[in-house]
Amino acid sequence: MRFYQLISFCLLFTQVITCSYPSSQGNSANPAQKGAVMASQEKTVTPLSPAQVSFSEKAVEQKAMTWRVLQSFDTGQKRYVLFGSDQLTDPYQGDTNIQESRALLCLKKLNLPLPSELPPTTKTPGGALRGSWSGARVVIIPKVKGSELTSLEIANERCRLAGLKTWKEDGFRMAEFHDGDQEAGWAGWDFWAEIPPSQCIDNRRYWVWINDQPPANPW
């Protein structure tokens, strides 16, 4: 009797050992096979190359150029603003992280007559004409994240839609560093333009692009 009890106990113990190693391949799989299957299902993580790391850091730290309002005056019927660079502006490498939000300055050249109230222009030591009349109207889009301006075309389209809404005119685009009076000389660093009375101007900063210094642009 004890002999049969011993045989039954061994059979039960064998079943317990077998069930302790479940496998997708049935009871024929052993622990070594199971480990191989699990290893093949593990996700492979490929480390970033130095070039990829460098690109990621650049994307986080990239800066773009900004301007601010330097002067303004109101004739009672129209408002004119001098937008331009200040001590913070860097037209070579950019000055404001593109992860931040600033206003987007948009412009449409219309050859508007020179307002008599404008102060005279000046020249920089390098010969650039400052404080010149752009002959243009501007529109401001507040709170635009620099990283959203992934190309000039995208920036221009946002400006076009804002111009249609504010001025009821097509053809607005992102303002550029040299949008002053090029007929009067090599204009740069700032320009005067007409602004709609409905738009608020304050100490905010404005995204402006530059056509000959790619590192200073947000894209």
Side-chain angles (χ1 to χ4, degrees), residues 57-66 88 90 92-100 146 207 213-219:
E57 291 175 351
K58 181 180 178 182
V60 172
E61 298 175 359
Q62 184 178 351
K63 294 181 179 181
M65 181 181 65
T66 59
L88 178 63
D90 184 345
Y92 304 105
Q93 299 295 326
D95 50 75
T96 302
N97 194 299
I98 63 171
Q99 302 304 321
E100 299 179 16
W207 301 117
Q213 298 293 334
N217 296 321
W219 44 82

Side-chain angles (χ1 to χ4, degrees), residues 84-116:
S85 58
D86 60 4
Q87 68 276 9
L88 178 63
T89 302
D90 184 345
Y92 304 105
Q93 299 295 326
D95 50 75
T96 302
N97 194 299
I98 63 171
Q99 302 304 321
E100 299 179 16
S101 295
R102 298 291 184 268
L104 174 59
L105 183 60
C106 306
L107 168 146
K108 180 182 180 181
K109 291 271 192 173
L110 293 164
N111 294 318
L112 298 175
L114 174 67
S116 58

Side-chain angles (χ1 to χ4, degrees), residues 9-202:
F9 175 79
C10 290
L11 290 173
L12 178 62
F13 181 77
T14 302
Q15 291 175 350
V16 171
I17 294 297
T18 303
C19 292
S20 66
Y21 298 110
S23 171
S24 60
Q25 299 181 9
N27 291 338
S28 61
N30 59 36
Q33 291 173 323
K34 176 176 178 287
V37 171
M38 292 181 64
S40 67
Q41 293 175 344
E42 289 181 357
K43 183 178 180 181
T44 302
V45 179
T46 304
L48 291 176
S49 67
Q52 290 172 315
V53 172
S54 177
F55 177 80
S56 299
E57 291 175 351
K58 181 180 178 182
V60 172
E61 298 175 359
Q62 184 178 351
K63 294 181 179 181
M65 181 181 65
T66 59
W67 280 6
R68 72 174 182 87
V69 171
L70 303 178
Q71 295 183 52
S72 65
F73 70 86
D74 192 331
T75 66
Q77 295 180 330
K78 295 182 178 181
R79 284 200 308 162
Y80 300 100
V81 176
L82 177 64
F83 295 95
S85 58
D86 60 4
Q87 68 276 9
L88 178 63
T89 302
D90 184 345
Y92 304 105
Q93 299 295 326
D95 50 75
T96 302
N97 194 299
I98 63 171
Q99 302 304 321
E100 299 179 16
S101 295
R102 298 291 184 268
L104 174 59
L105 183 60
C106 306
L107 168 146
K108 180 182 180 181
K109 291 271 192 173
L110 293 164
N111 294 318
L112 298 175
L114 174 67
S116 58
E117 298 88 349
L118 289 188
T121 59
T122 60
K123 280 193 176 182
T124 68
L129 192 66
R130 295 208 60 170
S132 66
W133 172 239
S134 66
R137 287 177 177 152
V138 296
V139 63
I140 298 166
I141 306 176
K143 298 181 180 178
V144 175
K145 197 172 183 179
S147 58
E148 296 174 3
L149 306 176
T150 54
S151 70
L152 179 59
E153 291 73 20
I154 287 177
N156 287 345
E157 178 62 14
R158 295 188 68 164
C159 287
R160 188 185 75 84
L161 296 175
L164 285 170
K165 182 178 180 180
T166 304
W167 286 104
K168 304 298 187 288
E169 294 179 5
D170 202 350
F172 279 81
R173 57 169 174 78
M174 186 176 181
E176 200 269 331
F177 182 89
H178 305 94
D179 268 332
D181 187 356
Q182 293 294 332
E183 294 184 1
W186 179 69
W189 300 95
D190 57 21
F191 59 75
W192 283 95
E194 182 183 350
I195 187 172
S198 60
Q199 291 212 295
C200 174
I201 55 171
D202 48 28

